[in-house]
Amino acid sequence: MQVHHTVASLRAARATAGRVALVPTMGNLHDGHIALMREAARHADTVFASIFVNRLQFGPSEDFDKYPRTLEADCEKLEAAGVAHVFAPSEEEMYPQPQRYHVDPAPEHVSILEGAARPGHFRGVATVVLKLFNVVRPDVALFGKKDYQQLMVLRNMVAELALPIEIVAQETVRAADGLALSSRNGYLSAAERAEAPRLHRELAAIVAAVRAGARDFAKLEAAALAELEKNGWKPDYVTVRCRADLQTPQGGDEPLVVLAAARIGATRLIDNVEI
Ligand code: PAF
């Protein structure tokens, strides 16, 4: 496996790599990321991963400086997962001058859910991902469904800007008790970790109810919010949305997803399940 710190070195490697899959990450890798790498190998001749902690997607009150940087351990995991090339640029290499041009996702896609809690976040994500796409020129790129809104924004960016890249979505990897894998799980105390799977259980209960014919989404959402609050959570939202654009369902038969974000202690967890 080769680790590239410059665009020039990365591009030289890409030139002879055939069909390329890219898995963009910010490092601090867990088994969910590794599942993405393994899936990537099924879609391409050569798997590229990127590791770059993207300043543009952090808000002023979010701790960009404290984000764990674990390049050496990450590279060991990537090599074991069959990744051929890692792009790990410095801040200066990626943003050699202040980045003055940005991708502005559709306001209706980013003023809701995670975007409401984190203004500017998806602009930062879309901008860095477009830039990574331009550097690596992958044929296919893979993203996890855990960040469902991110996936939706990136799918729309690729479609509306006609980028010649196939987007593959990977199912969320869960612990045996249902908790979605996330680097944030490491912040949970033992008691919080024991409580954390409730978030997924509440989502699964809504999925089961809707599949059984329930259509009063507001009632289902309110019951889940109450159950979380009763158990010490501070929920931001539990909401049934249309998969394609994450807008409120209008009563048709469009594919749905239920999404949640809630704080347990000092840690904010997100999760979702397709219905
Ligand atoms: O999902 C992430 O880790 C990041 O948002 C991404 C897609 C690598 C962009 O920085």
Side-chain angles (χ1 to χ4, degrees), residues 23-27 33 50 52-54 57 67 121 124-126 128-129 132 143-144 147 150 154:
V23 184
T25 81
M26 297 207 301
H33 294 109
S50 63
F52 179 64
V53 185
N54 172 36
Q57 71 190 73
Y67 195 89
H121 170 69
V125 170
V128 81
V129 169
L132 289 168
F143 298 90
D147 292 303
Q150 167 171 284
L154 295 174

Side-chain angles (χ1 to χ4, degrees), residues 7-252:
V7 171
S9 159
L10 188 284
R11 283 196 166 140
R14 197 271 170 259
T16 56
R19 182 174 162 84
V20 162
L22 172 65
V23 184
T25 81
M26 297 207 301
N28 195 23
L29 304 179
H30 53 65
D31 286 351
H33 294 109
I34 301 310
L36 274 171
M37 306 298 160
R38 296 199 191 281
E39 179 64 19
R42 299 182 51 241
H43 295 267
D45 304 317
T46 314
V47 178
F48 284 60
S50 63
I51 297 180
F52 179 64
V53 185
N54 172 36
R55 185 186 289 277
L56 294 188
Q57 71 190 73
F58 286 78
S61 63
E62 299 175 28
D63 44 3
F64 169 77
D65 292 325
K66 291 213 192 89
Y67 195 89
R69 275 117 171 131
T70 53
L71 184 61
E72 216 173 298
D74 289 342
C75 284
E76 280 171 23
K77 292 178 189 169
L78 292 175
E79 181 146 38
V83 171
H85 297 277
V86 179
F87 182 46
S90 64
E91 173 99 8
E92 295 70 32
E93 182 70 9
M94 197 61 185
Y95 297 129
Q97 54 195 16
Q99 182 81 19
R100 294 170 302 170
Y101 285 67
H102 298 90
V103 179
D104 259 325
E108 65 270 32
H109 289 168
V110 299
S111 59
I112 56 173
L113 307 174
E114 290 309 287
R118 307 177 70 184
H121 170 69
F122 289 113
R123 180 185 198 244
V125 170
T127 301
V128 81
V129 169
L130 180 62
K131 195 153 178 175
L132 289 168
F133 283 175
N134 284 333
V135 171
V136 179
R137 290 187 296 104
D139 298 284
V140 51
L142 291 91
F143 298 90
K145 287 190 186 178
K146 162 103 188 332
D147 292 303
Y148 208 88
Q149 191 173 5
Q150 167 171 284
L151 178 64
M152 182 274 286
V153 166
L154 295 174
R155 275 192 194 288
N156 278 280
M157 176 183 83
V158 163
E160 292 206 8
L161 300 181
L163 305 180
I165 298 169
E166 181 193 342
I167 300 292
V168 171
Q170 166 81 5
E171 293 305 325
T172 299
V173 179
R174 299 182 181 280
D177 59 11
L179 178 65
L181 296 196
S182 162
S183 34
R184 290 193 181 170
N185 297 350
Y187 301 136
L188 300 172
S189 69
E192 289 164 354
R193 174 62 189 81
E195 171 62 20
R198 186 181 306 278
L199 191 62
H200 177 245
R201 283 203 300 275
E202 290 302 323
L203 295 178
I206 292 179
V207 171
V210 175
R211 285 193 184 151
R215 281 295 170 272
D216 190 345
F217 300 145
K219 192 170 158 203
L220 296 171
E221 293 161 4
L225 289 168
E227 196 57 29
L228 289 168
E229 275 165 5
K230 199 174 88 191
N231 287 281
W233 295 72
K234 291 202 170 52
D236 283 347
Y237 57 81
V238 175
T239 182
V240 176
R241 297 292 172 108
C242 299
R243 284 189 206 175
D245 55 8
L246 298 183
Q247 305 301 306
T248 306
Q250 297 303 321

